Amino acid sequence: MTFDPAYEPRSGLTHRDADWSGLRVLVVGLGISGFAAADALAERGARVTAVSRDTTDVITERATILDILGVDVRLGPEHVVEPPDGTELIITSPGVPPHDPLMLAAATRGLPVWGEVELAWRMRPLEGAAPWLTVTGTNGKTTTVNMLASILRAAGLRATSAGNVGTPILEAVLHPQPYDVLAVELSSFQLHWQRSISAVASAVLNVAPDHLDWHGSYAEYLRAKGKIYDNTHLACVYNVADIQTEQLVMEAEVVEGCRAIGFTTGIPAPSMIGVVDDVLADRAFVEQRQRSAAELCTLDDLRGDGPTVAPHYLANALAAAALARAYGVGPLAVRDGLRAFRPDRHRIAEVATVRGVRWVNDSKATNTHAAAAALTSFDSVIWIAGGLLKGADVDSLVEDVASRLRGVILIGADRARIAEALARHAPDVPVVDLPDTDTGVMDLVVSHAARLAHPGDVVLLAPAAASMDMFTNYGARGDAFEAAVRRHMEASGGDR
């Protein structure tokens, strides 16, 4: 195969039409995406070397499978320094930053680097490939993509969520029973390495500083997010309340005729989707949009099992509706899909009400932007915060929400930085600093929160930080919180 690293398949051709056999490919990382990439490439006759810095039991098991398939697997940090001689293409896992020594060595040698998402796009079949509807943003990606998939299925389409959530993207693209359409979540890591995706419609939900340690600067993080709009065919969906997302649309190189579609929790102007009274209204994909709108659903359709609709949840629903409408889905399917949708766990999840105090798990709030969205959903909060801040500044967050705080409980590695911000902007708010680093600290957290809370308060786990200093992931952190709340309920005789 003659390999052209600058090849861009805007004509519709993909590398699926080329002969992958004999291509020397280095796959970096043996997580879910790396394993899938190595497997797909080996099946197509590529000469694959797979390397992994880690040697966990799961990775060792995957290495054994790949070895049977003829992949040259090399485990250990000594193999993740230089690309092997003769390497023509590198497929990297999302967690490997561009400043990693192996990536720097690849750049020095002029080797093309793709992520699994880019590889999946290039492996799409020439005919019958499922169109992509793509979503990114600092927060809300998973909820929006899963809402979108629910709407698409309500329209009778064979659809799935894929990419950074749900079905692995290579599995979705190469499925023996092809999908009609894919709702694809893309992280900034994945977007950094992509160059040729051409979605039917794409959305940036919001942008705020995050993963600056990986990208090196906020400007680079923004650049990665904005790449989702490049080559979009029909609609670039942006957040009217976040001017940066509209700016990213303006800077994107889109297919001629592509429209900019805004979503807003206020009254929509033409070419926008928004809210009129308690109705989600479409003034973008209707005839005579200067004077009319289509009703998509009501706020009651979004409430599910909860008492209210949080503003950011409403924004996610509007973005999902905009993408679905861009694809041609009718208003009734939008309504039915949003009615049927239930958010994943650890996203503003009501855990219990004990003696007038609501306990809410938003462990998924792993950055300051997500924590702000959760905190501004409630008026009187006992805030549980802390973990790994990933280089983020918490000063403006604390300043913005100070009036809502009735107490704060701090955990995790970077809790001192939050404490300093609280001392500056909320000096009268009681703060409990817990230095314990074992997972059992949640019982102490709940005990202190119960002592601080009064009827009408919300005890909110919205850490504004990653969890890996103390927990396996944000889900484990949320599970520990919910379990501790249940133990507190049993001890106190409270009820839901």
Side-chain angles (χ1 to χ4, degrees), residues 379-462:
D379 294 326
S380 183
V381 178
I382 307 298
W383 182 27
I384 302 166
L388 294 172
L389 288 171
K390 302 175 291 184
D393 177 20
V394 294
D395 223 56
S396 58
L397 167 65
V398 172
E399 184 177 14
D400 291 344
V401 302
S403 63
R404 300 172 184 270
L405 301 178
R406 289 242 319 107
V408 180
I409 300 164
L410 297 176
I411 61 174
D414 293 334
R415 65 189 186 281
R417 289 179 52 197
I418 304 176
E420 292 165 2
L422 287 163
R424 284 190 291 272
H425 302 294
D428 297 328
V429 173
V431 177
V432 178
D433 186 309
L434 295 178
D436 306 58
T437 56
D438 63 284
T439 55
V441 73
M442 279 299 179
D443 284 308
L444 277 176
V445 168
V446 168
S447 175
H448 283 290
R451 177 177 57 82
L452 291 171
H454 294 164
D457 289 343
V458 173
V459 177
L460 175 66
L461 174 66

Side-chain angles (χ1 to χ4, degrees), residues 265-317:
T265 56
I267 296 175
S271 291
M272 293 182 187
I273 289 181
V275 181
V276 180
D277 295 328
D278 65 344
V279 172
L280 276 66
D282 172 10
R283 292 190 68 188
F285 302 101
V286 294
E287 293 183 9
Q288 300 179 336
R289 56 182 178 269
Q290 293 291 338
R291 299 185 298 276
S292 62
E295 177 176 335
L296 300 177
C297 69
T298 67
L299 294 181
D300 282 340
D301 293 317
L302 298 179
R303 284 195 175 96
D305 302 324
T308 59
V309 180
H312 61 287
Y313 187 84
L314 173 58
N316 294 340

